[in-house]
């Protein structure tokens, strides 16, 4: 393929950290690897699984495959190639998510209504864009590569986010099927017993938090800044299913004293009595997983709880949730280890380590913090439509830290700020206590 470059194309911005260092060959390798892994996630699916959408928040698999492709087409190819001819002009409408500066997107709740393009055509779309991007990078001048490389890097991390969403959306879709479909059989490690929670103390002082400036980071992780922290202690592990069952058995779901007002209203209106995906059958609790319906292991970390439930559980225990600054300070000296998506367990697993100190900080379940999702002092969103990626959602949401069993390890950073509304629980969200 030969492309004509737009002579008046605006220069792309460096990644937020300003330390883009991959060579073209390294970037191409990472690009093709992330594109391949997305398709590996869909390998267990039947053709009927690709289009189903059971709720507005859970997009069809076919849409994820197309949207992550649209990202590269929209933010790179259409802007940089003067003679670029889209495969279909309506793809930019169908597969936009919420980037209003690139055009009006198709209705989010109706993504499952679109049978065409077919799954085959979406895979062809992916292959075509792959070829364009690889060819662009192979033939770029040094100046062009400095402009384009960071855009591709953002697209790679964007696709890694959608890989996590794809897994959780598939789980939610399968959970609505009374046949309890199995996405993939997985053996997970088990343990016979678990020590009581112990506490790891941290001293008050002025600390620096936020991205340290090396490697990739989203704009909401910047700038690094000082914050004052009082003495605090963090639980050394995550809250388990068994511990959460005690909360349920106590009748806490019907006691207003543990709940925020909006939380109790949500519990009442939604008739919540347990975490999402939990089912009581013949007097015993089961949960739906990507490996089908399984009996709940009391030693596994509890997951699929809302902020409201995490906060109520912490109050019931006499503690609280950590702030995101406390979590990041506590995580700073730790090595990033955990059961990320790369481990293939598809579910948080029981604590495997007996060492002292903090455990399960990374890669099991996203950990709710009591911090509202808001900008850091001096925050500046990326220019243009990419500025819609994080900044415009800084309202009425809470920050989660740590990654989950559906997060790629290569996507995770200690400064990573995930965020969800307080009532949402379809992601792998869990609880760590603080005091």
């Amino acid at each position: 393929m030969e492309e004509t470059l737009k002579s008046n194309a605006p220069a792309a911005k460096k990644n937020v950290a300003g330390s883009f260092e991959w060579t073209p060959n390294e970037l191409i390798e990472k690009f093709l690897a992330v594109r391949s892994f997305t398709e590996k996630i869909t390998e267990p699916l039947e053709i009927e699984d690709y289009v189903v959408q059971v709720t507005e928040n859970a997009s069809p698999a076919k849409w994820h495959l197309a949207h992550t492709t649209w990202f590269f087409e929209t933010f790179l190819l259409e802007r940089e190639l003067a003679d670029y001819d889209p495969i279909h002009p309506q793809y930019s409408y169908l597969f936009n998510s919420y980037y209003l500066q690139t055009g009006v997107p198709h209705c989010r709740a109706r993504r499952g209504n679109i049978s065409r393009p077919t799954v085959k055509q979406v895979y062809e779309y992916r292959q075509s864009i792959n070829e364009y991007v690889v060819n662009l990078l192979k033939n770029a001048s040094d100046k062009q590569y400095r402009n384009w490389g960071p855009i591709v890097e953002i697209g790679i991390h964007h696709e890694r986010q959608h890989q996590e969403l794809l897994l959780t959306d598939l789980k939610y879709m399968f959970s609505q099927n009374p046949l309890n479909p199995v996405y993939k059989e997985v053996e997970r490690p088990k343990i016979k017993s678990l020590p009581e929670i112990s506490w790891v103390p941290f001293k008050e002082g002025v600390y620096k938090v936020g991205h340290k400036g090396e490697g990739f980071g989203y704009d909401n992780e910047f700038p690094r800044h000082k914050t004052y922290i009082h003495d605090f202690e963090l639980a050394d592990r995550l809250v388990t299913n068994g511990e959460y069952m005690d909360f349920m058995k106590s009748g806490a779901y019907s006691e207003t004293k543990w709940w925020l007002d909006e939380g109790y209203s949500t519990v009442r209106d939604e008739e919540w009595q347990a975490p999402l995906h939990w089912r009581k059958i013949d007097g015993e609790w089961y949960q739906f997983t990507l490996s089908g319906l399984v009996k709940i292991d009391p030693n596994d970390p509890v997951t699929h709880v809302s902020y409201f439930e995490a906060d109520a559980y912490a109050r019931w225990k006499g503690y609280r949730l950590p702030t995101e600054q406390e979590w990041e300070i506590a995580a700073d000296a730790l090595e990033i280890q955990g059961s990320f998506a790369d481990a293939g367990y598809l579910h948080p697993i029981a604590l495997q380590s007996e060492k002292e100190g903090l455990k399960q900080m990374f890669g099991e379940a996203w950990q709710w913090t009591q911090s509202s999702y808001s900008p850091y002092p001096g925050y500046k969103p990326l220019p243009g439509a990419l500025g819609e990626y994080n900044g415009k959602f800084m309202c009425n949401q809470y920050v989660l830290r740590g990654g989950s069993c559906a997060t790629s390890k290569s996507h995770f950073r200690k400064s990573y700020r995930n965020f969800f509304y307080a009532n949402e629980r379809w992601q792998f969200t869990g609880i760590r206590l603080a005091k």
Side-chain angles (χ1 to χ4, degrees):
M1 273 176 234
E2 292 186 3
E3 298 94 354
T4 303
L5 303 180
K6 290 184 178 179
S7 59
N8 61 345
K13 299 294 181 180
K14 291 182 178 180
N15 69 332
V16 182
S19 59
F20 180 76
E21 296 178 348
W22 291 343
T23 67
N25 285 339
E26 288 173 336
L27 184 58
I28 289 170
E29 182 180 354
K30 291 179 184 294
F31 169 75
L32 293 176
V34 78
R35 299 289 284 169
S36 175
F37 187 65
T38 303
E39 295 177 14
K40 184 178 179 180
I41 292 173
T42 62
E43 283 179 0
L45 302 183
E46 300 293 343
I47 198 70
E48 290 84 358
D49 298 324
Y50 279 86
V51 185
V52 178
Q53 181 179 24
V54 293
T55 182
E56 179 177 352
N57 287 336
S59 297
K62 185 177 74 172
W63 184 87
H64 284 292
L65 290 167
H67 170 70
T68 50
T69 305
W70 166 92
F71 190 96
F72 292 104
E73 182 177 44
T74 299
F75 291 105
L76 180 63
L77 302 180
E78 288 186 351
R79 295 188 178 192
E80 303 299 335
L81 301 181
D83 59 350
Y84 177 74
D85 185 20
I87 290 178
H88 197 296
Q90 284 294 84
Y91 283 9
S92 62
Y93 166 64
L94 286 177
F95 302 129
N96 184 2
S97 54
Y98 50 71
Y99 297 89
L100 298 179
Q101 294 183 55
T102 67
V104 179
H106 180 255
C107 178
R108 180 182 183 184
R110 297 176 183 172
R111 291 170 182 168
N113 295 357
I114 306 302
S115 61
R116 304 296 174 95
T118 65
V119 173
K120 179 182 177 182
Q121 288 171 323
V122 166
Y123 276 110
E124 290 171 348
Y125 175 44
R126 287 180 64 86
Q127 181 60 32
S128 173
I129 299 305
N130 288 355
E131 291 174 3
Y132 268 110
V133 172
V134 169
N135 191 62
L136 196 69
L137 295 176
K138 280 183 176 179
N139 295 289
S141 67
D142 288 344
K143 181 179 180 181
Q144 291 166 343
Y145 182 70
R146 286 195 299 272
N147 288 336
W148 300 340
I151 297 177
V152 176
E153 185 181 31
I154 291 174
I156 287 171
H157 282 274
H158 169 261
E159 185 143 353
R160 286 172 178 159
Q161 281 186 310
H162 276 272
Q163 289 165 356
E164 180 165 4
L165 291 169
L166 178 55
L167 283 169
T168 49
D169 288 358
L170 288 172
K171 179 175 182 178
Y172 193 83
M173 177 192 74
F174 284 136
S175 76
Q176 306 304 302
N177 189 322
L179 299 179
N180 297 319
V182 173
Y183 165 77
K184 188 177 182 181
E185 294 280 4
V186 175
E187 289 292 329
R188 302 183 184 91
K190 303 293 182 182
I191 58 174
K192 293 182 178 180
S193 62
L194 192 67
E196 292 293 320
I197 280 176
S198 61
W199 297 91
V200 181
F202 294 87
K203 291 293 186 182
E204 71 172 342
V206 176
Y207 294 85
K208 286 186 176 181
V209 296
H211 200 290
K212 294 182 179 180
E214 294 184 1
F216 178 83
Y218 287 126
D219 57 9
N220 64 357
E221 301 169 47
F222 295 86
R224 189 162 175 80
H225 60 284
K226 294 178 181 178
T227 186
Y228 177 78
I229 299 294
H230 292 276
D231 288 343
F232 72 97
E233 296 180 52
L234 210 59
D236 69 328
R237 61 168 174 80
L238 299 177
V239 172
T240 66
N241 288 329
E243 290 165 335
Y244 197 84
M245 282 180 180
D246 293 337
F247 170 71
M248 294 160 53
K249 291 174 184 175
S250 76
Y253 269 90
S254 60
E255 294 184 290
T256 58
K257 61 184 177 181
W258 309 122
W259 299 85
L260 295 168
D261 180 65
E262 186 179 345
Y264 190 74
S265 296
T266 302
V267 166
R268 180 193 61 212
D269 294 346
E270 300 295 330
E271 298 181 343
W272 288 352
Q273 293 295 323
L276 180 66
H277 299 310
W278 284 35
R279 305 175 192 175
K280 201 167 192 178
I281 303 172
D282 296 331
E284 293 194 272
W285 283 104
Y286 291 76
Q287 62 182 334
F288 184 82
T289 73
L290 284 164
S291 299
L293 192 65
V294 299
K295 189 174 181 180
I296 287 178
D297 187 327
N299 294 321
D300 286 348
V302 67
T303 189
H304 295 297
V305 291
S306 65
Y307 175 84
F308 293 137
E309 290 164 302
D311 177 74
Y313 177 84
R315 293 170 190 258
W316 178 77
K317 291 291 290 185
Y319 305 121
R320 62 174 175 85
L321 300 177
T323 67
E324 67 165 319
Q325 292 82 7
E326 289 171 339
W327 188 96
E328 187 171 326
I329 289 164
D332 186 58
L334 301 178
E335 184 179 354
I336 297 177
Q337 292 182 331
S339 300
F340 289 94
D342 315 63
Y345 292 129
L346 302 175
H347 197 80
I349 62 171
L351 181 65
Q352 302 297 304
S353 173
E354 297 181 359
K355 69 176 183 179
E356 294 184 355
L358 295 173
K359 299 172 281 289
Q360 297 180 312
M361 286 289 281
F362 313 114
E364 299 295 347
W366 285 104
Q367 298 156 50
W368 285 106
T369 75
Q370 62 175 246
S371 298
S372 296
Y373 178 52
S374 59
Y376 285 161
Y379 166 75
K380 293 182 179 180
L382 288 171
L386 283 175
E388 298 185 58
Y389 200 81
N390 290 303
K392 72 178 185 180
F393 298 110
M394 291 177 173
C395 180
N396 298 330
Q397 304 202 55
Y398 285 89
V399 175
L400 302 96
R401 294 299 193 104
S404 82
C405 56
T407 309
S408 293
K409 186 176 181 180
S410 58
H411 181 57
F412 181 75
R413 303 165 296 285
K414 295 174 186 177
S415 58
Y416 195 111
R417 306 173 76 199
N418 204 350
F419 49 93
F420 286 107
Y421 293 103
N423 66 325
E424 292 181 325
R425 54 187 198 159
W426 91 102
Q427 282 292 327
F428 288 100
T429 49
I431 308 171
R432 185 180 297 272
L433 299 174
K435 66 176 180 178

